[in-house]
PDB file of all heavy atoms in Angstrom:
ATOM      1  N   LYS A  38     110.682 104.739 113.551  1.00  0.00           N
ATOM      2  CA  LYS A  38     111.543 105.664 112.802  1.00  0.00           C
ATOM      3  C   LYS A  38     110.763 106.938 112.390  1.00  0.00           C
ATOM      4  O   LYS A  38     111.293 108.025 112.510  1.00  0.00           O
ATOM      5  CB  LYS A  38     112.054 104.970 111.549  1.00  0.00           C
ATOM      6  CG  LYS A  38     112.833 103.705 111.839  1.00  0.00           C
ATOM      7  CD  LYS A  38     113.986 103.572 110.892  1.00  0.00           C
ATOM      8  CE  LYS A  38     115.154 102.857 111.486  1.00  0.00           C
ATOM      9  NZ  LYS A  38     114.881 101.479 111.892  1.00  0.00           N
ATOM     10  N   VAL A  39     109.560 106.753 111.901  1.00  0.00           N
ATOM     11  CA  VAL A  39     108.782 107.864 111.390  1.00  0.00           C
ATOM     12  C   VAL A  39     107.900 108.349 112.523  1.00  0.00           C
ATOM     13  O   VAL A  39     106.906 107.682 112.863  1.00  0.00           O
ATOM     14  CB  VAL A  39     107.965 107.488 110.106  1.00  0.00           C
ATOM     15  CG1 VAL A  39     107.296 108.730 109.573  1.00  0.00           C
ATOM     16  CG2 VAL A  39     108.879 106.878 109.087  1.00  0.00           C
ATOM     17  N   ILE A  40     108.203 109.482 113.080  1.00  0.00           N
ATOM     18  CA  ILE A  40     107.569 109.978 114.285  1.00  0.00           C
ATOM     19  C   ILE A  40     106.258 110.725 113.959  1.00  0.00           C
ATOM     20  O   ILE A  40     106.220 111.511 113.007  1.00  0.00           O
ATOM     21  CB  ILE A  40     108.499 110.950 115.051  1.00  0.00           C
ATOM     22  CG1 ILE A  40     109.863 110.299 115.269  1.00  0.00           C
ATOM     23  CG2 ILE A  40     107.886 111.426 116.338  1.00  0.00           C
ATOM     24  CD1 ILE A  40     109.850 109.069 116.104  1.00  0.00           C
ATOM     25  N   GLY A  41     105.244 110.518 114.781  1.00  0.00           N
ATOM     26  CA  GLY A  41     104.013 111.339 114.693  1.00  0.00           C
ATOM     27  C   GLY A  41     103.082 110.968 113.536  1.00  0.00           C
ATOM     28  O   GLY A  41     102.203 111.712 113.226  1.00  0.00           O
ATOM     29  N   GLN A  42     103.367 109.832 112.870  1.00  0.00           N
ATOM     30  CA  GLN A  42     102.535 109.430 111.736  1.00  0.00           C
ATOM     31  C   GLN A  42     102.106 108.007 111.933  1.00  0.00           C
ATOM     32  O   GLN A  42     102.110 107.169 111.027  1.00  0.00           O
ATOM     33  CB  GLN A  42     103.316 109.568 110.408  1.00  0.00           C
ATOM     34  CG  GLN A  42     104.100 110.852 110.221  1.00  0.00           C
ATOM     35  CD  GLN A  42     103.159 112.052 110.039  1.00  0.00           C
ATOM     36  OE1 GLN A  42     101.933 111.906 109.992  1.00  0.00           O
ATOM     37  NE2 GLN A  42     103.719 113.269 109.953  1.00  0.00           N
ATOM     38  N   GLY A  73     101.092 115.627 102.090  1.00  0.00           N
ATOM     39  CA  GLY A  73     101.229 116.345 103.353  1.00  0.00           C
ATOM     40  C   GLY A  73     102.257 117.434 103.302  1.00  0.00           C
ATOM     41  O   GLY A  73     102.925 117.594 102.285  1.00  0.00           O
ATOM     42  N   PRO A  74     102.346 118.227 104.376  1.00  0.00           N
ATOM     43  CA  PRO A  74     103.234 119.371 104.368  1.00  0.00           C
ATOM     44  C   PRO A  74     104.690 118.942 104.212  1.00  0.00           C
ATOM     45  O   PRO A  74     105.052 117.790 104.463  1.00  0.00           O
ATOM     46  CB  PRO A  74     103.024 119.976 105.781  1.00  0.00           C
ATOM     47  CG  PRO A  74     101.849 119.292 106.350  1.00  0.00           C
ATOM     48  CD  PRO A  74     101.639 118.024 105.661  1.00  0.00           C
ATOM     49  N   PRO A  75     105.578 119.900 103.777  1.00  0.00           N
ATOM     50  CA  PRO A  75     107.010 119.592 103.650  1.00  0.00           C
ATOM     51  C   PRO A  75     107.625 119.163 104.981  1.00  0.00           C
ATOM     52  O   PRO A  75     107.184 119.654 106.000  1.00  0.00           O
ATOM     53  CB  PRO A  75     107.601 120.922 103.190  1.00  0.00           C
ATOM     54  CG  PRO A  75     106.497 121.793 102.769  1.00  0.00           C
ATOM     55  CD  PRO A  75     105.258 121.267 103.425  1.00  0.00           C
ATOM     56  N   GLY A  76     108.604 118.309 104.900  1.00  0.00           N
ATOM     57  CA  GLY A  76     109.370 117.913 106.059  1.00  0.00           C
ATOM     58  C   GLY A  76     108.576 117.200 107.130  1.00  0.00           C
ATOM     59  O   GLY A  76     108.859 117.358 108.347  1.00  0.00           O
ATOM     60  N   THR A  77     107.639 116.375 106.767  1.00  0.00           N
ATOM     61  CA  THR A  77     106.850 115.617 107.757  1.00  0.00           C
ATOM     62  C   THR A  77     107.134 114.122 107.669  1.00  0.00           C
ATOM     63  O   THR A  77     106.513 113.342 108.406  1.00  0.00           O
ATOM     64  CB  THR A  77     105.346 115.874 107.608  1.00  0.00           C
ATOM     65  OG1 THR A  77     104.988 115.710 106.244  1.00  0.00           O
ATOM     66  CG2 THR A  77     104.984 117.286 108.079  1.00  0.00           C
ATOM     67  N   GLY A  78     108.050 113.737 106.801  1.00  0.00           N
ATOM     68  CA  GLY A  78     108.485 112.342 106.744  1.00  0.00           C
ATOM     69  C   GLY A  78     108.009 111.496 105.586  1.00  0.00           C
ATOM     70  O   GLY A  78     108.116 110.272 105.606  1.00  0.00           O
ATOM     71  N   LYS A  79     107.525 112.137 104.518  1.00  0.00           N
ATOM     72  CA  LYS A  79     107.010 111.383 103.402  1.00  0.00           C
ATOM     73  C   LYS A  79     108.144 110.621 102.686  1.00  0.00           C
ATOM     74  O   LYS A  79     108.092 109.389 102.523  1.00  0.00           O
ATOM     75  CB  LYS A  79     106.307 112.313 102.395  1.00  0.00           C
ATOM     76  CG  LYS A  79     105.110 113.040 103.046  1.00  0.00           C
ATOM     77  CD  LYS A  79     104.359 113.876 102.040  1.00  0.00           C
ATOM     78  CE  LYS A  79     105.172 115.044 101.474  1.00  0.00           C
ATOM     79  NZ  LYS A  79     105.606 116.023 102.527  1.00  0.00           N
ATOM     80  N   THR A  80     109.167 111.377 102.254  1.00  0.00           N
ATOM     81  CA  THR A  80     110.320 110.732 101.606  1.00  0.00           C
ATOM     82  C   THR A  80     110.994 109.747 102.555  1.00  0.00           C
ATOM     83  O   THR A  80     111.392 108.648 102.182  1.00  0.00           O
ATOM     84  CB  THR A  80     111.290 111.816 101.110  1.00  0.00           C
ATOM     85  OG1 THR A  80     110.606 112.703 100.220  1.00  0.00           O
ATOM     86  CG2 THR A  80     112.461 111.192 100.381  1.00  0.00           C
ATOM     87  N   TYR A  81     111.060 110.186 103.789  1.00  0.00           N
ATOM     88  CA  TYR A  81     111.730 109.368 104.848  1.00  0.00           C
ATOM     89  C   TYR A  81     111.000 108.015 105.024  1.00  0.00           C
ATOM     90  O   TYR A  81     111.641 106.967 105.150  1.00  0.00           O
ATOM     91  CB  TYR A  81     111.764 110.188 106.138  1.00  0.00           C
ATOM     92  CG  TYR A  81     112.550 109.578 107.237  1.00  0.00           C
ATOM     93  CD1 TYR A  81     113.877 109.168 107.063  1.00  0.00           C
ATOM     94  CD2 TYR A  81     112.004 109.398 108.512  1.00  0.00           C
ATOM     95  CE1 TYR A  81     114.610 108.603 108.049  1.00  0.00           C
ATOM     96  CE2 TYR A  81     112.719 108.846 109.546  1.00  0.00           C
ATOM     97  CZ  TYR A  81     113.999 108.402 109.316  1.00  0.00           C
ATOM     98  OH  TYR A  81     114.717 107.860 110.331  1.00  0.00           O
ATOM     99  N   LEU A  82     109.638 108.034 105.004  1.00  0.00           N
ATOM    100  CA  LEU A  82     108.909 106.790 105.170  1.00  0.00           C
ATOM    101  C   LEU A  82     109.223 105.845 104.012  1.00  0.00           C
ATOM    102  O   LEU A  82     109.386 104.641 104.226  1.00  0.00           O
ATOM    103  CB  LEU A  82     107.382 107.077 105.203  1.00  0.00           C
ATOM    104  CG  LEU A  82     106.512 105.815 105.208  1.00  0.00           C
ATOM    105  CD1 LEU A  82     106.728 104.956 106.433  1.00  0.00           C
ATOM    106  CD2 LEU A  82     105.045 106.131 105.062  1.00  0.00           C
ATOM    107  N   ASP A 143     109.127 111.514  93.764  1.00  0.00           N
ATOM    108  CA  ASP A 143     108.855 112.714  94.572  1.00  0.00           C
ATOM    109  C   ASP A 143     108.201 113.799  93.735  1.00  0.00           C
ATOM    110  O   ASP A 143     108.635 114.063  92.604  1.00  0.00           O
ATOM    111  CB  ASP A 143     110.114 113.255  95.177  1.00  0.00           C
ATOM    112  CG  ASP A 143     110.323 112.785  96.635  1.00  0.00           C
ATOM    113  OD1 ASP A 143     109.323 112.595  97.336  1.00  0.00           O
ATOM    114  OD2 ASP A 143     111.483 112.613  97.030  1.00  0.00           O
ATOM    115  N   THR A 184     104.901 111.115  95.997  1.00  0.00           N
ATOM    116  CA  THR A 184     104.673 112.100  97.069  1.00  0.00           C
ATOM    117  C   THR A 184     104.223 113.419  96.457  1.00  0.00           C
ATOM    118  O   THR A 184     104.510 113.701  95.303  1.00  0.00           O
ATOM    119  CB  THR A 184     105.947 112.363  97.946  1.00  0.00           C
ATOM    120  OG1 THR A 184     106.870 113.183  97.192  1.00  0.00           O
ATOM    121  CG2 THR A 184     106.629 111.082  98.362  1.00  0.00           C
ATOM    122  N   ASN A 186     103.045 117.759  97.754  1.00  0.00           N
ATOM    123  CA  ASN A 186     102.665 118.788  98.725  1.00  0.00           C
ATOM    124  C   ASN A 186     101.343 119.424  98.356  1.00  0.00           C
ATOM    125  O   ASN A 186     100.881 120.325  99.022  1.00  0.00           O
ATOM    126  CB  ASN A 186     103.708 119.870  98.841  1.00  0.00           C
ATOM    127  CG  ASN A 186     105.065 119.391  99.313  1.00  0.00           C
ATOM    128  OD1 ASN A 186     106.075 119.756  98.773  1.00  0.00           O
ATOM    129  ND2 ASN A 186     105.059 118.579 100.332  1.00  0.00           N
ATOM    130  N   LEU A 236     103.998 118.105 112.108  1.00  0.00           N
ATOM    131  CA  LEU A 236     104.635 117.688 113.376  1.00  0.00           C
ATOM    132  C   LEU A 236     104.269 118.700 114.463  1.00  0.00           C
ATOM    133  O   LEU A 236     104.283 119.903 114.171  1.00  0.00           O
ATOM    134  CB  LEU A 236     106.126 117.610 113.241  1.00  0.00           C
ATOM    135  CG  LEU A 236     106.667 116.532 112.355  1.00  0.00           C
ATOM    136  CD1 LEU A 236     108.180 116.650 112.191  1.00  0.00           C
ATOM    137  CD2 LEU A 236     106.329 115.157 112.867  1.00  0.00           C
ATOM    138  N   VAL A 244     111.758 114.179 116.833  1.00  0.00           N
ATOM    139  CA  VAL A 244     112.463 114.252 115.544  1.00  0.00           C
ATOM    140  C   VAL A 244     113.808 114.941 115.744  1.00  0.00           C
ATOM    141  O   VAL A 244     114.859 114.482 115.246  1.00  0.00           O
ATOM    142  CB  VAL A 244     111.654 114.973 114.484  1.00  0.00           C
ATOM    143  CG1 VAL A 244     112.475 115.229 113.241  1.00  0.00           C
ATOM    144  CG2 VAL A 244     110.400 114.121 114.145  1.00  0.00           C
ATOM    145  N   LEU A 247     116.286 112.670 117.454  1.00  0.00           N
ATOM    146  CA  LEU A 247     116.793 111.681 116.524  1.00  0.00           C
ATOM    147  C   LEU A 247     117.819 112.258 115.550  1.00  0.00           C
ATOM    148  O   LEU A 247     118.827 111.622 115.225  1.00  0.00           O
ATOM    149  CB  LEU A 247     115.636 111.045 115.702  1.00  0.00           C
ATOM    150  CG  LEU A 247     114.786 109.968 116.368  1.00  0.00           C
ATOM    151  CD1 LEU A 247     113.643 109.580 115.462  1.00  0.00           C
ATOM    152  CD2 LEU A 247     115.645 108.770 116.749  1.00  0.00           C
ATOM    153  N   GLU A 248     117.535 113.466 115.102  1.00  0.00           N
ATOM    154  CA  GLU A 248     118.447 114.160 114.180  1.00  0.00           C
ATOM    155  C   GLU A 248     119.791 114.383 114.842  1.00  0.00           C
ATOM    156  O   GLU A 248     120.842 114.231 114.267  1.00  0.00           O
ATOM    157  CB  GLU A 248     117.874 115.511 113.710  1.00  0.00           C
ATOM    158  CG  GLU A 248     116.690 115.389 112.746  1.00  0.00           C
ATOM    159  CD  GLU A 248     117.021 114.699 111.471  1.00  0.00           C
ATOM    160  OE1 GLU A 248     118.194 114.673 111.090  1.00  0.00           O
ATOM    161  OE2 GLU A 248     116.093 114.132 110.840  1.00  0.00           O
ATOM    162  N   ALA A 286     110.763 119.753 109.496  1.00  0.00           N
ATOM    163  CA  ALA A 286     111.864 119.028 110.111  1.00  0.00           C
ATOM    164  C   ALA A 286     113.204 119.440 109.481  1.00  0.00           C
ATOM    165  O   ALA A 286     114.224 119.379 110.126  1.00  0.00           O
ATOM    166  CB  ALA A 286     111.669 117.549 109.964  1.00  0.00           C
ATOM    167  N   ARG A 287     113.118 119.867 108.268  1.00  0.00           N
ATOM    168  CA  ARG A 287     114.352 120.306 107.589  1.00  0.00           C
ATOM    169  C   ARG A 287     114.980 121.497 108.260  1.00  0.00           C
ATOM    170  O   ARG A 287     116.160 121.635 108.340  1.00  0.00           O
ATOM    171  CB  ARG A 287     114.055 120.590 106.119  1.00  0.00           C
ATOM    172  CG  ARG A 287     114.989 119.807 105.223  1.00  0.00           C
ATOM    173  CD  ARG A 287     114.601 119.903 103.767  1.00  0.00           C
ATOM    174  NE  ARG A 287     113.895 118.684 103.414  1.00  0.00           N
ATOM    175  CZ  ARG A 287     112.612 118.649 103.021  1.00  0.00           C
ATOM    176  NH1 ARG A 287     111.923 119.750 102.960  1.00  0.00           N
ATOM    177  NH2 ARG A 287     112.084 117.505 102.665  1.00  0.00           N
ATOM    178  N   VAL A 290     116.793 120.313 111.311  1.00  0.00           N
ATOM    179  CA  VAL A 290     118.057 119.724 110.983  1.00  0.00           C
ATOM    180  C   VAL A 290     119.121 120.814 110.815  1.00  0.00           C
ATOM    181  O   VAL A 290     120.206 120.755 111.332  1.00  0.00           O
ATOM    182  CB  VAL A 290     117.976 118.895 109.674  1.00  0.00           C
ATOM    183  CG1 VAL A 290     119.309 118.359 109.298  1.00  0.00           C
ATOM    184  CG2 VAL A 290     116.966 117.760 109.866  1.00  0.00           C
TER     185      VAL A 290
HETATM  186  N1  ATP B 401     107.923 112.224 110.959  1.00  0.00           N
HETATM  187  C1  ATP B 401     109.258 112.185 110.983  1.00  0.00           C
HETATM  188  N2  ATP B 401     109.918 111.327 111.761  1.00  0.00           N
HETATM  189  C2  ATP B 401     111.275 111.280 111.819  1.00  0.00           C
HETATM  190  N3  ATP B 401     112.060 112.070 111.087  1.00  0.00           N
HETATM  191  C3  ATP B 401     111.485 112.946 110.262  1.00  0.00           C
HETATM  192  C4  ATP B 401     110.056 113.046 110.169  1.00  0.00           C
HETATM  193  N4  ATP B 401     109.774 114.018 109.292  1.00  0.00           N
HETATM  194  C5  ATP B 401     110.914 114.459 108.839  1.00  0.00           C
HETATM  195  N5  ATP B 401     111.966 113.858 109.409  1.00  0.00           N
HETATM  196  C6  ATP B 401     113.417 114.125 109.211  1.00  0.00           C
HETATM  197  O1  ATP B 401     113.510 115.211 108.339  1.00  0.00           O
HETATM  198  C7  ATP B 401     114.077 114.870 107.086  1.00  0.00           C
HETATM  199  C8  ATP B 401     113.251 115.480 105.943  1.00  0.00           C
HETATM  200  O2  ATP B 401     112.006 114.854 105.863  1.00  0.00           O
HETATM  201  P1  ATP B 401     111.370 114.270 104.503  1.00  0.00           P
HETATM  202  O3  ATP B 401     112.388 114.378 103.424  1.00  0.00           O
HETATM  203  O4  ATP B 401     110.825 112.912 104.754  1.00  0.00           O
HETATM  204  O5  ATP B 401     110.251 115.300 104.297  1.00  0.00           O
HETATM  205  P2  ATP B 401     109.059 115.233 103.203  1.00  0.00           P
HETATM  206  O6  ATP B 401     107.793 115.012 103.937  1.00  0.00           O
HETATM  207  O7  ATP B 401     109.396 114.299 102.120  1.00  0.00           O
HETATM  208  O8  ATP B 401     109.078 116.751 102.713  1.00  0.00           O
HETATM  209  P3  ATP B 401     108.888 117.368 101.202  1.00  0.00           P
HETATM  210  O9  ATP B 401     107.393 117.415 100.960  1.00  0.00           O
HETATM  211  O10 ATP B 401     109.450 118.735 101.316  1.00  0.00           O
HETATM  212  O11 ATP B 401     109.638 116.470 100.289  1.00  0.00           O
HETATM  213  C9  ATP B 401     114.053 113.360 107.058  1.00  0.00           C
HETATM  214  O12 ATP B 401     115.169 112.857 106.363  1.00  0.00           O
HETATM  215  C10 ATP B 401     114.084 112.965 108.526  1.00  0.00           C
HETATM  216  O13 ATP B 401     115.432 112.924 108.930  1.00  0.00           O
END
Side-chain angles (χ1 to χ4, degrees):
K38 301 218 150 60
V39 185
I40 308 299
Q42 313 292 355
T77 48
K79 300 184 294 298
T80 302
Y81 187 53
L82 173 64
D143 263 329
T184 76
N186 297 136
L236 293 174
V244 171
L247 281 177
E248 291 297 337
R287 233 170 260 116
V290 176

